[in-house]
Amino acid sequence: MSEKKRGHGPLHGLKVVEVQGLGPTPFAAMWLADMGADVVRIQRPNLKPLIPQKMDVLNRGRGFVELDLKDKTDRDTAGDLINHADMLIEGMRPGVMERLGLGPEAFTQTNPKLIYGRMTGWGQSGPLAQAAGHDINYISITGALHAIGGDAPVPPLNLLGDFGGGGMYLVAGMLAALHAAREAGQGSVVDAAITDGTAHLMAMIYSMHGAHLWADQREANLLDGGAPFYRVYECACGGHMSVGALEAKFYTELLSRLGLNSDDLPEQMDVEGWPTLRGAIAERFKQKSRDEWAALLEGTDACCAPVLSLAEAPNHPHNKARNAFTTISGVVQPEAAPKLSTSDGRAVAGEERQPESVEDVLARWS
C-alpha cells in the first residue's frame, strides 16, 4: 500500500499484524487502519473469499501477505513479522495459535511489549470455550437477545455481538493494553469474548432491571418498543417513522405535532394505558406518508426520524453534512468514526489484488 494511504490518522506509526478471520476480527483491524495504523493481514495463499476483496469493506485500509500457517517456513516468517509488530489480532479457537507455535508465549522474550489481541465468541476459558458458535449464540447467554423483539426474540443483525460486543471491545482492550505497555514496558494478552462484551453493553438494562424498572419480557419497557413514545410506526406509504419522545416535554411536543389532545389519552407513564396510546399514535401515523411525516417532525423536539433503507441512508442531508459515508472503488460504505479534532481517521481502499512482499513489510517496520 502507498505511504499516502498508510500515513494518515492518530494511530500513524502503530504496526499491526492481523491473522485473517471473519466478522469482528477484520472489523477491529479495519478500525485500526481507518485511524492510521499500518495493518498487514496474514492470508492463506489462493484464498477465494466469500465477498470479493474489492467489495469487502472490512478489508479496507490495509494490504495482505500470503502465508500458509500449516507450513513451517511460512510460520517462521509469520513469527518474524509478529516480532516486528506492536499488536497482533487473531480470532482462532483457543489453543490453535499455540499449536502453530504462534501463541503469546512465543513472543514474551522476543517482543515483550506485544499486545496480543484474541477475539472469540465464548472467550479463552469457560465450559463453552471450544464450542462452535456465531453472533446469535453468543448474545443469547447474556440476556440481550431475550430482550429484543416482540413475540419471539429478533436477531439485531450481528451488530450487537460481532461488532459491538466483539470487535469494538477488542479495540478498546488493545488500546488500553498499549497504554499500559508504554508505561510499564510489558505487553498484554487481550481476551476479548463476544459474550463478555455484550454482557457489558447491557449494563444500563441490568441496572434498570435490578431497580425493578425493567420487566424481564419483551415490548414491556421504555426502550424495547413497549412504550408508545419509543417505538416505530408504519406510515401510509408502508414506510416507517421512529419515535423517541421519552422526556415529558418531548412527549408533549410529539402529541402537539401529531394533532393529538393529551386530555383524550392515558397519561404518558400509565403502563395500563399504553395499548390505547399506541393505537392512537399508530392511527395518526397511518394518515400520511413517511416523507410527509419527516417533513413535519424531523429536526424538532418531538424526537422523530424516518427509518431509512441502506440505499437511502447515505443520501440523508445530516449524514452528508457529517461525511458519515464515502465511496471507495464504487462501493458506498461508512466513513471512519469517530471524528477527532486533531487528526481524523479516514477510510481508504485496501490492496484488493496483489499480496505485499513480507520483505517490504519488514523493511518498513525495522
Side-chain angles (χ1 to χ4, degrees), residues 22-25 28 89-93 117-121 123-124 161-162 165-170 190-195:
L22 298 172
T25 305
I89 296 175
E90 63 94 0
M92 305 285 194
R93 285 201 205 190
R118 316 199 82 166
M119 183 75 259
T120 58
Q124 297 295 312
D162 278 352
M168 286 312 301
Y169 272 83
L170 176 62
V190 179
D191 177 3
I194 293 173
T195 51

Side-chain angles (χ1 to χ4, degrees), residues 84 358-366:
H84 285 78
V358 174
E359 290 75 16
D360 287 347
V361 177
L362 291 175
R364 186 167 80 233
W365 285 5
S366 295

Side-chain angles (χ1 to χ4, degrees), residues 22-24 27 58 134-139 154-167 194 198 201:
L22 298 172
F27 179 78
L58 295 186
H134 281 295
D135 175 290
I136 192 170
N137 310 123
Y138 309 138
I139 68 174
V154 174
L157 304 182
N158 61 336
L159 299 177
L160 176 57
D162 278 352
F163 303 126
I194 293 173
T198 304
L201 287 171

Side-chain angles (χ1 to χ4, degrees), residues 127-329:
L128 294 175
Q130 291 296 332
H134 281 295
D135 175 290
I136 192 170
N137 310 123
Y138 309 138
I139 68 174
S140 293
I141 70 167
T142 67
L145 183 58
H146 175 270
I148 300 169
D151 292 337
V154 174
L157 304 182
N158 61 336
L159 299 177
L160 176 57
D162 278 352
F163 303 126
M168 286 312 301
Y169 272 83
L170 176 62
V171 166
M174 292 180 71
L175 292 179
L178 180 67
H179 176 74
R182 288 176 172 173
E183 292 289 315
Q186 181 64 47
S188 299
V189 177
V190 179
D191 177 3
I194 293 173
T195 51
D196 295 347
T198 304
H200 196 258
L201 287 171
M202 289 286 287
M204 188 182 79
I205 305 304
Y206 271 102
S207 68
M208 294 175 73
H209 181 252
H212 305 292
L213 298 173
W214 189 274
D216 201 7
Q217 61 191 77
R218 290 178 294 280
E219 290 192 319
N221 300 283
L222 280 178
L223 304 175
D224 63 358
F229 42 87
Y230 199 91
R231 64 183 285 124
V232 172
Y233 288 96
E234 185 177 6
C235 303
C237 61
H240 295 83
M241 288 289 292
S242 66
V243 174
L246 287 169
E247 293 83 355
K249 61 180 180 179
F250 299 151
Y251 173 70
T252 299
E253 177 86 0
L254 172 69
L255 293 188
S256 174
R257 289 182 177 274
L258 290 178
L260 294 172
N261 189 339
S262 61
D263 293 338
D264 299 330
L265 299 168
E267 292 291 326
Q268 180 184 7
M269 294 302 174
D270 175 11
V271 177
E272 297 299 321
W274 277 2
T276 299
L277 186 52
R278 277 198 297 269
I281 296 175
E283 182 181 357
R284 188 53 53 96
F285 270 109
K286 290 286 281 185
Q287 294 175 4
K288 297 181 186 294
S289 71
R290 183 199 68 179
D291 292 348
E292 288 175 319
W293 281 120
L296 290 171
L297 298 171
E298 195 175 18
T300 74
D301 281 354
C303 301
C304 295
V307 178
L308 302 182
S309 70
L310 296 180
E312 292 173 314
N315 294 315
H316 187 279
H318 186 79
N319 290 334
K320 293 179 77 170
R322 294 279 302 171
N323 296 316
F325 291 86
T326 188
T327 301
I328 300 174
S329 301

